[in-house]
């Protein structure tokens, strides 16, 4: 049964940003309002501040993203919700068309629909072949965008280094605002405090 033939009442919200300098608040506000407007009950929210581009390269980037995406899929498999609301397709993956298509295919095989606020074609395209083609293209564009940004940053850092300018955080520099603690740092701090308390 397609999403157009069945009643959709429960949703999960997926929000992702790449760095702790970015914030999911805008995505969450839009998605919660969209769910309310559509008369959907929010069954779960999956929020992550992690790279959707890299994984398994030893630097820890992408690990939280992978955990959250697996939890999203597990909830869909259990039938916890009928649709996943995301802000845009590139919030689901930046690993290219193949990864995007594979994830969306696994999600829809559970009977769960996918709607994207900024990419309304995701829910309006009824031909599965056209939808898969568009998902592949958007997934590939998202990956290219990430790769190009990385190349620009590396080129800028190399230029600064060639000019003899400092690169990276300089000794003695203080933060302008309090830093947000990422998951692994916060966990390490809790474990360290617990060990000291013993």
């Amino acid at each position: 049964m397609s999403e157009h033939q069945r009643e959709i009442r429960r949703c999960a919200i997926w929000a992702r940003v790449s760095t702790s300098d970015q914030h999911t608040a805008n995505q969450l506000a839009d998605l919660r309002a969209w769910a309310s407007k559509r008369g959907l009950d929010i069954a779960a929210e999956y929020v992550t501040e992690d790279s959707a581009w890299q994984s398994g390269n030893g630097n820890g980037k992408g690990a939280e993203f992978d955990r959250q995406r697996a939890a999203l899929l597990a909830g869909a498999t259990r039938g916890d919700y009928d649709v996943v609301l995301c802000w845009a397709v590139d919030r689901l993956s930046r690993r290219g068309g193949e990864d995007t298509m594979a994830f969306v295919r696994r999600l829809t095989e559970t009977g769960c629909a996918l709607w994207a606020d900024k990419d309304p074609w995701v829910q309006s395209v009824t031909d599965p072949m056209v939808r898969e083609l568009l998902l592949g293209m958007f997934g590939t564009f998202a990956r290219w965008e990430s790769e190009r940004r990385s190349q620009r940053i590396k080129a800028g850092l190399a230029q600064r280094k060639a000019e003899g300018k400092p690169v990276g955080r300089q000794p003695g520099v203080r933060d302008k605002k309090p830093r947000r603690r990422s998951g692994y740092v916060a966990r390490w701090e809790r474990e360290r405090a617990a060990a000291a308390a013993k």
Side-chain angles (χ1 to χ4, degrees):
M1 186 182 302
S2 77
E3 67 186 77
H4 301 289
Q5 297 169 322
R6 65 183 168 85
E7 186 177 5
I8 295 178
R9 296 190 319 243
R10 293 166 300 147
C11 72
I13 287 179
W14 173 266
R16 183 193 65 79
V17 292
S18 301
T19 69
S20 61
D21 294 333
Q22 302 168 333
H23 306 285
T24 56
N26 294 343
Q27 292 176 37
L28 289 170
D30 286 354
L31 294 171
R32 289 171 183 151
W34 190 24
S36 176
K37 183 178 174 184
R38 298 291 298 255
L40 300 172
D41 295 325
I42 299 171
E45 290 186 355
Y46 299 90
V47 181
T48 184
E49 297 172 356
D50 196 9
S51 173
W53 178 31
Q54 297 178 340
S55 181
N57 60 3
N59 68 1
K61 285 186 178 180
E64 177 63 20
F65 166 77
D66 288 337
R67 279 191 294 279
Q68 289 283 2
R69 205 165 68 157
L72 175 71
L73 192 56
T77 302
R78 287 190 306 270
D80 294 350
Y81 28 85
D82 308 306
V83 63
V84 171
L85 305 182
C86 67
W87 199 69
V89 172
D90 70 350
R91 303 295 82 204
L92 292 171
S93 177
R94 288 203 175 254
R95 296 176 183 159
E98 187 175 332
D99 182 72
T100 303
M101 288 187 305
F103 178 76
V104 173
R105 191 176 304 119
R106 287 193 306 272
L107 181 66
T108 54
E109 284 171 355
T110 69
C112 189
L114 172 66
W115 297 348
D117 187 33
K118 303 303 177 195
D119 298 321
W121 58 266
V122 172
Q123 59 267 25
S124 64
V125 174
T126 56
D127 184 329
M129 296 297 282
V130 173
R131 186 173 190 228
E132 191 163 319
L133 173 70
L134 291 172
L135 284 168
M137 289 172 42
F138 273 72
T140 299
F141 295 151
R143 181 176 178 178
W144 283 343
E145 181 184 359
S146 290
E147 288 175 356
R148 292 255 169 87
R149 184 179 331 106
S150 177
Q151 291 168 354
R152 288 192 304 269
I153 290 169
K154 289 176 183 175
L157 292 174
Q159 179 66 32
R160 285 187 63 84
K161 193 172 184 179
E163 293 171 356
K165 294 179 180 175
V167 176
R169 186 177 180 94
Q170 301 304 301
V173 173
R174 297 185 58 104
D175 291 332
K176 293 179 183 175
K177 60 182 181 179
R179 287 182 178 227
R180 293 169 58 186
R181 300 313 235 176
S182 62
Y184 71 92
V185 171
R187 186 185 74 223
W188 175 80
E189 288 172 341
R190 284 190 307 272
E191 290 171 354
R192 186 173 174 198
K198 288 182 181 179

